[in-house]
Amino acid sequence: MSDPKRDRVVIESLKKQLRRGDPIAANNIAATYRELGNAQRAFHWWRRAAIPDDGDAWLEVGFCLQYGIGTRRDAAAAIKAYRRAIASDHTTEYGCEEAQYHLPIALLDRGALGSRREVERLLKAASEDGDYPRAAALLVQLREQQPLRICRCRRELARRLGGKAHCPVHRNS
């Protein structure tokens, strides 16, 4: 159970850190709002964190835009956000792999048939070190022209935070 008074104190403390120049405070504010179930405020803060080229924040922005979490769905903007996450020098390896997995899904959802090479290249990059089996599985489905069963989970997010909310493969598991 959340304590509203404690939650306000945590948010205010993070905002003070941001004012003092802490480079990850905006991301932490966004994650705190997500934990509190306020998707709109979380999206607002991820957008703010992404502006100075924070690749992991761009990943979060892309996912929110792709699935309408805290904002309206906007596939084109989600694709741009994922591309910025991948291109940023300030993206963790983990975040880059996430973006390299979710960008192809966004492209496939749009029916971007002309981008099949890009989809395969991104999935291969996401799975090349062996720690992203969902990317490898989707790549196999595409190459073998199997019916697509796309896992839309966020690896690190619990179900209560939306990690499996949009995944037809795991939604009911």
Side-chain angles (χ1 to χ4, degrees):
M1 183 66 66
S2 181
D3 176 5
K5 185 176 180 179
R6 187 190 69 79
D7 297 341
R8 278 194 304 277
V9 170
V10 169
I11 295 289
E12 285 308 313
S13 172
L14 289 168
K15 287 180 180 179
K16 283 180 187 174
Q17 292 175 21
L18 180 65
R19 287 190 292 274
R20 284 192 301 247
D22 184 335
I24 61 169
N27 256 322
N28 290 339
I29 293 168
T32 301
Y33 276 120
R34 176 175 54 201
E35 282 278 332
L36 296 173
N38 190 335
Q40 287 180 316
R41 293 300 298 162
F43 178 73
H44 164 81
W45 281 97
W46 272 310
R47 289 287 301 229
R48 186 170 172 175
I51 299 302
D53 202 31
D54 180 328
D56 289 321
W58 279 115
L59 165 65
E60 298 295 342
V61 168
F63 195 78
C64 288
L65 288 164
Q66 185 175 4
Y67 296 105
I69 302 170
T71 188
R72 290 179 194 236
R73 284 181 183 225
D74 186 338
I79 289 168
K80 287 179 186 175
Y82 289 137
R83 288 188 195 287
R84 287 192 74 170
I86 293 166
S88 174
D89 291 334
H90 305 287
T91 306
T92 61
E93 182 179 345
Y94 184 88
C96 191
E97 287 178 349
E98 284 280 315
Q100 289 170 329
Y101 179 72
H102 289 286
L103 173 55
I105 294 171
L107 292 169
L108 290 169
D109 287 348
R110 282 186 82 190
L113 299 175
S115 57
R116 182 172 171 98
R117 275 196 193 124
E118 180 184 16
V119 166
E120 289 185 6
R121 179 185 57 77
L122 288 162
L123 290 171
K124 183 177 178 192
S127 63
E128 72 186 351
D129 63 3
D131 70 349
Y132 209 130
R134 289 174 289 179
L138 184 54
L139 187 56
V140 167
Q141 292 174 46
L142 285 168
R143 288 182 175 164
E144 295 180 2
Q145 298 180 0
Q146 298 174 0
L148 298 181
R149 286 195 31 90
I150 299 172
C151 173
R152 295 172 185 273
C153 293
R154 296 291 306 280
R155 290 192 284 183
E156 80 285 1
L157 289 182
R159 180 184 307 276
R160 70 181 178 78
L161 299 176
K164 295 183 180 182
H166 303 284
C167 182
V169 175
H170 298 110
R171 187 177 302 147
N172 298 320
S173 63

